[in-house]
Amino acid sequence: MTGSVSAALFAGRLTSPEALEGIRIKLGLNHPLLQQYWDYLGGFFHARHFDNGPDKTTCTWPCLGYSFKNDLSVGHLIADRFPVTLSLAIGAPIIWLVTGVTVGRISALRPRSWADRTSMLFALAAISLPVYFTAAVLRLFVVYNWHWLPDINYVGFTHDPVLWAKNLLLPWISLATLYAASYARFTRASMLDVLNEDYIRTARAKGLPERTVINRHAMRPVGTLIITLFGMDVGALMGGAILTESVFGLPGLGKLGYDAISQHDLPIIMGVTILAAFFIVTANVVVDMLYAVIDPRVRLS
């Protein structure tokens, strides 16, 4: 039954039963589910061949199947969209990491000051606004009303680096606003806890400069938390920023996944999901390795 449904999605509604059966055989949907799963996993490591008599198709490595709607290789579609998502994942994390940690650090060092209250007020507002609202407002004013930047039209980095950055500046800021607010709050809360620890008072009692106390002693425990959040967020972002890409019309993995969900294009949905899971797992491994660099106690244990 599942194979018949998948074959119908691939072939369309106006298809004869004979054609549907031919598609089931060609795609291997007539095999047991365990064998279909094993064949699908095999496509991660080598090419696959789909055939039904004279009707033969070769899916090159990595083979993630073919789109139900346009009969294009899912691997090629993902490879074509990946540079856009990678571009978002390069600029936005840098902005939110630098901005969020800096604002949180200033707030923690000057608690209950006007700088602390103002920054936390902006952080609360930023974290409360959905990404699609922030993106739409920025695009309305910066592009259409004030004409400070051209309308968003993605250009590859190798084609024109300056134009690449100009077209991605607003998506970077929109995506970074929400994350920067979260990082500012986490950094502030963590630093306030660390600054009350006994070893911080001991370091100050020894006469160490305040900059050394903050950078070498207070920021290390905070850095462990920030690295954890940063790795998870960047790993998830590599799977596509659906809302940001949709608002700005960026042809990235998020937009590809969103369109596939709307059209019930199962192979693309599976491909994007697997790629996102891969990056999340990879980010966790990298974070675990960085723990030993940031916190010496991890190496000792």
Side-chain angles (χ1 to χ4, degrees):
M1 182 66 181
T2 303
S4 300
V5 174
S6 300
L9 289 172
F10 184 88
R13 296 180 179 179
L14 303 178
T15 304
S16 64
E18 293 78 11
L20 283 177
E21 183 62 23
I23 291 174
R24 290 182 69 246
I25 296 174
K26 179 180 178 179
L27 297 180
L29 300 175
N30 58 327
H31 296 152
L33 287 178
L34 186 60
Q35 183 178 346
Q36 294 183 42
Y37 179 70
W38 182 256
D39 293 339
Y40 185 79
L41 290 182
F44 296 168
F45 307 100
H46 55 76
R48 292 181 62 190
H49 302 281
F50 301 96
D51 61 84
N52 178 24
D55 185 11
K56 298 182 179 181
T57 303
T58 299
C59 180
T60 58
W61 177 86
C63 180
L64 300 175
Y66 284 88
S67 167
F68 285 165
K69 298 303 177 182
N70 49 32
D71 199 22
L72 295 176
S73 169
V74 174
H76 291 165
L77 288 172
I78 290 177
D80 184 60
R81 302 292 188 95
F82 182 71
V84 181
T85 299
L86 179 62
S87 298
L88 278 176
I90 290 175
I94 295 175
I95 295 175
W96 85 53
L97 181 64
V98 173
T99 304
V101 173
T102 301
V103 171
R105 174 171 167 160
I106 293 173
S107 297
L109 294 177
R110 296 176 176 83
R112 292 177 294 278
S113 65
W114 67 269
D116 177 32
R117 298 180 187 278
T118 302
S119 61
M120 287 301 102
L121 178 62
F122 279 108
L124 181 61
I127 205 171
S128 301
L129 295 175
V131 175
Y132 59 83
F133 177 82
T134 305
V137 170
L138 283 175
R139 190 175 188 182
L140 173 64
F141 286 98
V142 176
V143 175
Y144 297 119
N145 287 3
W146 300 334
H147 305 288
W148 288 353
L149 291 174
D151 199 5
I152 308 301
N153 185 19
Y154 178 77
V155 175
F157 178 83
T158 56
H159 179 73
D160 189 337
V162 176
L163 193 58
W164 169 81
K166 288 179 64 177
N167 279 281
L168 287 172
L169 184 59
L170 282 185
W172 285 343
I173 294 175
S174 302
L175 192 58
T177 299
L178 174 63
Y179 288 97
S182 300
Y183 279 59
R185 296 181 64 187
F186 281 123
T187 302
R188 179 183 183 274
S190 299
M191 280 199 68
L192 288 176
D193 290 338
V194 171
L195 290 175
N196 291 323
E197 293 290 339
D198 293 338
Y199 69 90
I200 297 295
R201 288 193 289 268
T202 302
R204 286 170 172 165
K206 288 181 177 180
L208 293 178
E210 186 66 15
R211 178 176 298 180
T212 302
V213 173
I214 298 301
N215 293 337
R216 296 190 60 182
H217 297 280
M219 286 302 296
R220 279 195 173 183
V222 177
T224 303
L225 173 63
I226 296 301
I227 286 295
T228 304
L229 295 174
F230 189 71
M232 291 292 296
D233 291 337
V234 173
L237 179 59
M238 290 298 291
I242 296 178
L243 296 177
T244 304
E245 292 177 8
S246 298
V247 171
F248 290 104
L250 295 172
L253 293 177
K255 186 68 165 55
L256 178 66
Y258 174 80
D259 293 339
I261 293 173
S262 302
Q263 300 172 359
H264 304 286
D265 203 339
L266 301 182
I268 294 181
I269 297 173
M270 292 172 61
V272 173
T273 303
I274 290 172
L275 186 66
F278 168 78
F279 281 117
I280 291 175
V281 172
T282 303
N284 276 276
V285 173
V286 173
V287 165
D288 289 341
M289 295 173 64
L290 289 176
Y291 281 161
V293 178
I294 297 174
D295 194 344
R297 294 174 298 180
V298 177
R299 295 197 297 268
L300 294 176
S301 61

